[in-house]
Amino acid sequence: MIHSLFLINTSGDLFLEKHWKSVISRSVCDYFFEAREKAVEPDNVPPVIPTPHHYLITIYREKIFFVSVIQTEVPPLFVIEFLHRVAETFQDYFGECSETTIKDNVVIVYELLEEMLDNGFPLATESNILKELIRPPTILRSMVNTITGSSNVGETLPTGQLSSIPWRRAGVKYTNNEAYFDVVEEIDAILDKSGTTVFAEIQGVIDACVKLSGMPDLTLSFMNPRLLDDVSFHPCVRYKRWESERVISFIPPDGNFQLMSYHISAQNLVAIPIYVKQNISFFETGSSGRLDITVGPKQTMGKTVECLVVTIHMPKVVLSANLNATQGTYNYDPVTKILLWDIGKLNPQKLPNLKGSLSLLSGAPKPEENPSLNIDLKIQQLAISGLKVNRLDMYGEKYKPFKGVKYVTKAGKFQVRT
Amino acid sequence: MTDSKYFTTTKKGEIFELKAELNSDKKEKKKEAVKKVIASMTVGKDVSALFPDVVNCMQTDNLELKKLVYLYLMNYAKSQPDMAIMAVNTFVKDCEDPNPLIRALAVRTMGCIRVDKITEYLCEPLRKCLKDEDPYVRKTAAVCVAKLHDINAQLVEDQGFLDTLKDLISDSNPMVVANAVAALSEIAESHPNSNLLDLNPQTINKLLTALNECTEWGQIFILDCLANYMPRDDRESQSICERVTPRLSHANSAVVLSAVKVLMKFMEMLPKDLDYYGTLLKKLAPPLVTLLSAEPELQYVALRNINLIVQKRPEILKHEMKVFFVKYNDPIYVKLEKLDIMIRLASQANIAQVLAELKEYATEVDVDFVRKAVRAIGRCAIKVEQSAERCVSTLLDLIQTKVNYVVQEAIVVIKDIFRKYPNKYESVIATLCENLDSLDEPEARAAMIWIVGEYAERIDNADELLESFLEGFHDESTQVQLQLLTAIVKLFLKKPTETQELVQQVLSLATQDSDNPDLRDRGYIYWRLLSTDPVAAKEVVLAEKPLISEETDLIEPTLLEELICHIGTLASVYHKPPSAFVEGSRGVQHKRIPARAGSGESAESSDVGQSGPSEAPPAVIPSQGDLLGDLLNLDLAPPTATVPSVQPSMQMGAMDLLGGGLDSLMGDDSDTLGGDIGGSPSMGAGLGAAPAAMPASLGAAPAVGGGLGDLFDLGGGVGMPTGSYVAPKTVWLLAMKGKGLEISGTFARRGGIIQMDLTLTNKAMSVMTDFAIQFNRNSFGLAPAGPLQVLTPLSPNQTIDVSLPLSTSGPVMKMEPLNNLQVAVKNNIDVFYFSCQYPLSLLFVEDGKMDRQVFLATWKDIPNENEAHFQIKDIHLNSDVASNKLQGSNIFTIAKRTVEGQDMLYQSVKLTNGIWVLAEMRIQTGNPNYTLSIRCRAPEVCQFVYLCYELVLKN
C-alpha cells in the first residue's frame, strides 16, 4: 500500500513529507530527481519509477510533483487515482492547489492526509465526509477560532460515512432549493494539412450543482440517450436503471459534483465547428519563413464560436515573428517558442487572418519539423454531440426546486497538422 | 492567519522555545506549539527531542490537539520506545471511550506505533474493537490487524486475529467487508501459502454483494481478490462476470481496470460460441478507450495494460485504432506506448491510415519518438505483407529527408525487410549506398554492411565500399567488426578473383590484431574453412537464411497468461512476473488463467481446479442441495410420490446391494432425500419460483439461474479433486524396431483435455525430422487433435518430450482389447507402427456426476446380468481419501453411508461417448480389500473401469 508521500516543486524543493507506515528517508527521492533531470520537461517524467527497494509513483499537478513511495505490489492506478484525489481535495479546501497554499495550511494538510489514508488504505476520500471531520479554513472561522479557542476538527463521527449513501450527509437544509446541470463537451481532434479529420472524439461531462434539502431522489432523462454508449458514473447513480431504462436515477451528493462523464468515439461522426486554412513555410535561404492562417466556421449549428485561440509551438530556430492580425492580438514568446493568437469571437462575415513573416536564426538550416496548431474555442448553448436533457424529476421531497441545464462545447486537444 | 507562521522561529533556538510553549499552562498556546512541531516535522526537521513534552499534551479533551499529538507519536515513537510506553495508558483508555471516533482513532494510532512493547498492550483493545458495535470502529480495527501483522506476525497468529478477520468477511457492513478483504490480501501477500483468503462460492457471493455497496477503494480490493478465485464451471464464471460488468462504468479508473482483469480472466472459461461471450467482448472496448482520455499518468498505466490485452485478445480493440493516434503534446512516455499498440493493431484493413500517421510522426521533434516511428514502419512491413511495398517507399521518402537519425533507423529496418522478403526490394540498395557516409551509429553501420555483403554480387563497387569501412576497423564497435568480417568473407566467396587481398586483410585484422575473443574465433573459423574447403565454406557462409518471424517482440504466451492475471498491477506495467521484481512478496504464487470448459458437450467441467494452483484446500462444503431440497419439501406438498419400494424378489446381486446399501441409504436420508426423489416435479416448481425469493441484488434473471445452479452443484460436498493419476511412461517403440527412434509414452487427462505424452529419443546417428503421427480406428474414436509438435530436427542422442492433445471425434471401431490403440509414427526415415493401451480413466469426463435420483433409477434400470464384481486388494485408505482420489480421475462419489463399520460409496462415471458407469464400493474398516460392484449398459467396459479403480487407488 501507499507508504509515504513527498511533495516537490518544479525547482526540485521537497516541501512536504508524510509517512503512513514507518519513516522512509527522503533520499529515496534522489531516483525521482534523476528521472526528472532526464525528462527535461516536467510533463515527461515517467509516472512509475523503480528503485532498488521501492517504487515511486508520481503525478504532476499544478506545478507540484506528488511522489508516493510504495514497497509491495499495489495497483498503480489505485495510487495515481488516490494522488489525484489528494490534489483535488487540496483544491477543494484551499481554493487552489499550490505550494503556497499547502505551506500556508500545512497543519490542515497534514490532518487531511492522515484522515484520507490509514496504513496505506484509503479511509475517507469523499469531500463531504472530510469536511465534517476537518472543516475547511475560512477567514471567519479562523477568527472565531482564535477568539473562542474552538478547533476546526469535527468531534463526532460523520453521518454519511457508513450509511449506504456515504456521499450525502443527513439533515441538509436550504431555503432556495435548486439543481443545476452543466453539460460540457470537449472535442478532441486531429485535422491533417488538407483539413480532413484524422481523428475526432467527444469527451463529455455533466457537472451538477445540487442544493436540495432532505433526501431528494432525482431522475434525469435525455432526448437521445442512444448517443451514450460509453459512460462513467458517480457512485450515486443507479446503474441498473441506466441499463434498463436509460435514465439517470440518483440521490445526489450535496453541492458540486460530477454526475457522469461520457465518451463519444471516433466511429460516430463528430461535428468539427471550425476550419483552419494555414500555410507555414520556411525558405531554403535567407533564414526566414512565411505564415498565413485563416480561421472560419464549419459546423457550428448556428451558434457563435467564442474565445478562439490559436497556439503554435514553433521550431527552435524561429527567432521572431512579424505578423499582422485582422482580428485579435498575437504574441510570440522567443523563449518558449510559442506563438499565441487570441482571436476572441469568430465573425463569419469577416474571417480572421494572421499573416506575415518569420525570421530564423541566421545560418541555421531549414527546420525539419512542421509545427502543429493547437486550437482553443468555446461555444455556448450547444452540446456538439447533439445530446439534450429531456427532463429532471424529483421524488421523495415535497418542495418544488429550481432546475436548470446549461450546455457548452469547448475544444479539448484540438490539433491541426501542417 | 496562515499556518506559515509556524515555520518562523526566533533566533534563540527553536527547540528550546517550543519546549517552553509545550509546557505552558494555556491550552491555546500548547496547541499552537504542537502545530509548530508538526510543521517542522512535515519538512523533515528532527523534533524528536520534544517527545516527552508532546506526549504530556496527550491527555486532553480537545480532539484536534489529540490528533496532532497522535500524528507526532506515529512519527517518533520508534526512536523513543521507552517514552512511548507513557502513552499506552491513554490509548487503552481511549479505546473505551463512548465516542466511536475516539475509539477508532486510538486503535488506529496504536497500530501505527511500531514498538514491540506497545503492541503487547494493543491486543486486548484490538480484540474488543474487532467486535465493536460500531462498524466504523470495526473497519478501522480490520486494517489494524494488517498493521500488527506487519510488526509481529507471530503475535497476530497466536492471538487468533486472523480468524476474527476472516469472520469479518461476513460482516453486515460492506465497508467492513472491503477493509477485511484488503487486510487479508495484504497479509496473504507475505504468506503466499497461508490460505487466508479461502474463497468458496459462499464467500464469493458475499464479496459480490459487498461490491455493489462499498466505496471505490473497497471495490478495488474486492475485485482484486475475486480475480484470484477459480470458478468451478463456466456457468459460475458467467454469473460472476455478469455481476462485475457494471463496474466498467465506474468513474475511478482503478476500479475499471480491476474489473477488466476479472473479466479477462474469467471469460477464458466461457465457451466461445456462447452469446454472452460476444456481448462481453463488446463491453470491454469502451471502458478501455475511456481510460485514454484521463490524465497522462493514468493513460500510461492503461496503455501498458492495453498492450497486454491486445496481445491476448486483439479482437476487443481492433476497431479502435484511431484512439491510439498520437497528439503532439502527449508526454513522451504516452507517445511511445501508443505507437507500440498501433503496430500491434495494424492489419491489412487499417494499414493505410497507420502508415500515414507514422509518416507524420517521423517529422516530429522528439528524437526518441521519431526513431521509434521509423522502426514502426519497418515492423508494419514485416507484419502486413500487403503493405510492404508502401512501407519501403515511405522509408525511402524518409531517407530523402537526410535527417541523420531518420536515415540510420530506416536502414536498420530495411535490413529486416530484406530478410523477410528476399529478392523483392533490392532495387533500393543504390539509394541506401548513397547514405553510407552519414551513418555513425553502430547498429546502422552493421545493418548497412550486412546489406552490402549479402548483395555483393549486385553492387558493383561492393569491395570499395567495404574497404572504406576497413580503414577504421579498430575503432569500430564489436557489432560492426563482426559484421564486416562476415560481409567481406561473403564478398570473397562471391567474387573470389578481385577480393583476395581484402579478405586476407580482414582475417589478419580479426585474428591477430584484435583482443575480442568472439571476433578472433570467428576469424579463425572462416580462415580454416576457406583454406581447407572453399566449397564447404560457401555452403556455410552463404547458406539460405531462415525468414524472420512476423512479430519479434510478442510476450511469451505463458508469461502473457500470468500477466493477464495481474492486470492493473506493477507487474503489468513492467511486463514482468511479480516474482521477478517485487521485494515484499516472498515466493509469489504464479497465477494462471483458468482452462476453458471442455469441448461443448461437457459444458460444466468442474475440474478446472486441477490445472490452476491448488490454493483452495479440500474444504468440505455443507450440502446445500439437501438443505434446499428440504426447504422445498416443507413449503410444497409432502412427498406424495414415494420411491417404488425395493422388491425383495430382486435377484441375488441386487438384493445384496439394494438391501444393504441403497435401501438404507434412502432410509437414512429419507427425510431429506425422499423429498428430493419423490418430488422432482416440485423441485422444478421450486426452481421456477426461486428467483422471486432470491434477493434482488443477485442481478438479472440469468444470474439467478446460475446462482441457483451453483447451489445445487454443491450437493455432493466433496472437496477439490486431487488430480488424476498419470502412469509413468513405458516404452512403446524400441529403438531396434524404430531404426533408432525410441518412443515411450503415457496418457493423461488434464483439465478435461486428453493428452498423449510422448518422449522421442533419437538413438540413430543421423538427424530426424518431419515427424507426424496417426491413429488407427479405435473403440472410443481417439484421434490426434493437432499435429505432432516436433518443430526442431531431432539430432542424434537428443530426447524430446511432446504432448499431443487428443480428441474423441475420430472414427470408431471396436478393438480387442477394448482399450487398444494402434499408432503410426512417421519421420524422414520411415513409418513405424506400434500399439499401446490406455487407461479407461482417460475417457472419464468431468461432468460425470450423476444426480442421486437418476442414479437410483439408472441402477435399477440396468439389468442385473450387467453387473460385475471385483476385489481390489491391499488398499490402506479410508473411504474419504479414496473417494477424493477417485474424484481426481473423475470418478464421482454421489453418496456415502456407513453400516456396521462398512463404508458404502456410490459412484458414477461418464465416458466421452456418453456411456454411464455406476459403481458401489464397500470398504470395511481394517480390511484392506475393497469390494467393487459395477453396473453398466455396456458390460464390456466394467473390467477396464475396475482396472482404473485399482490403478488410481494404488498410486
Side-chain angles (χ1 to χ4, degrees), chain B residues 73-303:
Chain B
L73 267 175
M74 285 186 232
N75 239 21
Y76 289 115
K78 196 145 195 210
S79 55
Q80 310 259 349
D82 295 328
M83 291 290 215
I85 291 291
M86 288 164 41
V88 165
N89 264 333
T90 322
F91 279 129
V92 175
K93 215 177 98 205
D94 280 356
C95 286
E96 307 271 334
D97 198 280
N99 184 346
L101 195 61
I102 294 186
R103 290 204 297 276
L105 184 65
V107 76
R108 184 174 133 203
T109 314
M110 234 168 141
C112 290
I113 297 179
R114 308 173 63 88
V115 175
D116 277 341
K117 278 182 197 157
I118 289 204
T119 47
E120 285 165 28
Y121 292 95
L122 176 60
C123 291
E124 277 323 299
L126 178 59
R127 198 186 313 282
K128 262 188 218 152
C129 287
L130 279 168
K131 301 225 159 90
D132 199 284
E133 53 174 16
D134 195 301
Y136 181 76
V137 181
R138 289 204 299 278
K139 88 177 180 128
T140 314
V143 175
C144 191
V145 176
K147 294 181 196 169
L148 192 56
H149 187 272
D150 193 30
I151 305 168
N152 190 343
Q154 196 56 45
L155 184 73
V156 171
E157 275 159 46
D158 294 347
Q159 296 278 337
F161 284 138
L162 291 183
D163 293 323
T164 325
L165 202 52
K166 279 191 220 166
D167 293 342
L168 286 185
I169 290 188
S170 316
D171 198 280
S172 56
N173 187 297
M175 307 276 289
V176 180
V177 177
N179 273 16
V181 169
L184 281 171
S185 305
E186 188 173 89
I187 296 173
E189 207 178 318
S190 54
H191 284 252
N193 299 317
S194 60
N195 241 325
L196 275 174
L197 280 161
D198 172 17
L199 297 175
N200 56 47
Q202 278 97 337
T203 44
I204 290 296
N205 199 31
K206 272 175 201 141
L207 292 183
L208 284 169
T209 312
L211 181 63
N212 288 327
E213 292 166 22
C214 65
T215 65
E216 49 199 313
W217 314 109
Q219 293 183 11
I220 300 170
F221 295 131
I222 292 183
L223 286 169
D224 285 346
C225 176
L226 273 178
N228 291 330
Y229 178 63
M230 281 285 171
R232 286 158 310 138
D233 53 39
D234 55 336
R235 273 186 316 177
E236 188 182 12
S237 101
Q238 177 174 349
S239 91
I240 295 177
C241 286
E242 276 163 357
R243 293 175 72 176
V244 166
T245 353
R247 298 301 123 210
L248 292 176
S249 296
H250 202 284
N252 186 320
S253 59
V255 175
V256 174
L257 204 57
S258 289
V260 168
K261 162 163 60 185
V262 174
L263 296 175
M264 280 294 285
K265 196 176 162 190
F266 286 8
M267 77 191 292
E268 192 71 15
M269 280 184 76
L270 302 175
K272 279 199 167 161
D273 45 2
L274 198 71
D275 283 347
Y276 181 69
Y277 181 82
T279 324
L280 199 54
L281 273 184
K282 274 197 210 108
K283 279 194 175 164
L284 277 171
L288 289 174
V289 171
T290 303
L291 290 180
L292 297 181
S293 50
E295 285 86 356
E297 297 94 358
L298 296 168
Q299 275 188 49
Y300 170 74
V301 177
L303 284 165

Side-chain angles (χ1 to χ4, degrees), chain B residues 301-319:
Chain B
V301 177
L303 284 165
R304 289 296 284 173
N305 281 287
I306 288 173
N307 200 329
L308 295 174
I309 293 168
V310 296
Q311 286 186 58
K312 178 77 190 161
R313 295 188 185 282
E315 63 270 30
I316 294 177
L317 288 169
K318 67 179 170 201
H319 299 303

